[in-house]
Amino acid sequence: MPHGEKRKFIRWDSLHLLDYIVTHSDGKVGRYSMGRTLDVSINGLKLETVYSLSSAESLEITVGVEEDLIDLQARITYTEQSGDRFISGLEFVKMSTEGRRILRRYIDAFHELKGDTDSAAG
């Protein structure tokens, strides 16, 4: 790609990755880590991590689509162990209007990559 040209396509290999910061119920900031998105809708997502997450914690998440990054807050609805990983259900609790627009693009691309015929999840 020539210099100065913006990327026009979503990086498919990165669609499953996001980073997060744990916030404890007392407001203290915990660990920073990355996880893999297993499923996503406009209201939440299913996240695979190497650490167990507690429903007493919340997450500050950063998701990237093309050149856009969105920050959102999510509460943990459940966590279950799956082998040496943990699967958590997250419900979004705070997101800007612009963030919701960008998230919609992420959802559509995610479901297209998975081959889902109904990308209007959520």
Side-chain angles (χ1 to χ4, degrees):
M1 230 181 261
H3 275 291
E5 185 175 343
K6 296 272 187 190
R7 189 180 323 122
K8 294 182 181 177
F9 301 100
I10 295 169
R11 287 185 173 167
W12 297 111
D13 59 344
S14 67
L15 269 180
H16 293 287
L17 301 176
L18 57 77
D19 64 351
Y20 65 88
I21 298 172
V22 174
T23 303
H24 301 287
S25 58
D26 61 5
K28 291 184 182 176
V29 175
R31 85 174 101 24
Y32 166 84
S33 191
M34 292 187 75
R36 181 170 67 128
T37 306
L38 300 177
D39 198 7
V40 62
S41 76
I42 201 68
N43 297 315
L45 60 84
K46 188 184 294 184
L47 181 66
E48 179 185 65
T49 61
V50 295
Y51 301 106
S52 179
L53 300 172
S54 164
S55 59
E57 301 169 325
S58 61
L59 301 181
E60 300 283 333
I61 299 171
T62 301
V63 176
V65 180
E66 296 176 344
E67 299 296 322
D68 296 314
L69 292 175
I70 58 169
D71 295 313
L72 51 94
Q73 293 178 0
R75 72 177 188 90
I76 301 159
T77 58
Y78 71 88
T79 296
E80 57 191 33
Q81 190 162 358
S82 178
D84 61 346
R85 307 283 179 175
F86 297 90
I87 309 299
S88 298
L90 308 179
E91 179 181 24
F92 301 139
V93 294
K94 185 176 179 185
M95 182 184 334
S96 68
T97 302
E98 177 66 4
R100 192 165 292 275
R101 183 190 65 76
I102 295 166
L103 181 64
R104 172 52 68 191
R105 288 192 358 243
Y106 178 84
I107 293 167
D108 290 346
F110 182 91
H111 287 279
E112 184 177 328
L113 176 65
K114 286 180 53 180
D116 293 350
T117 56
D118 178 20
S119 65

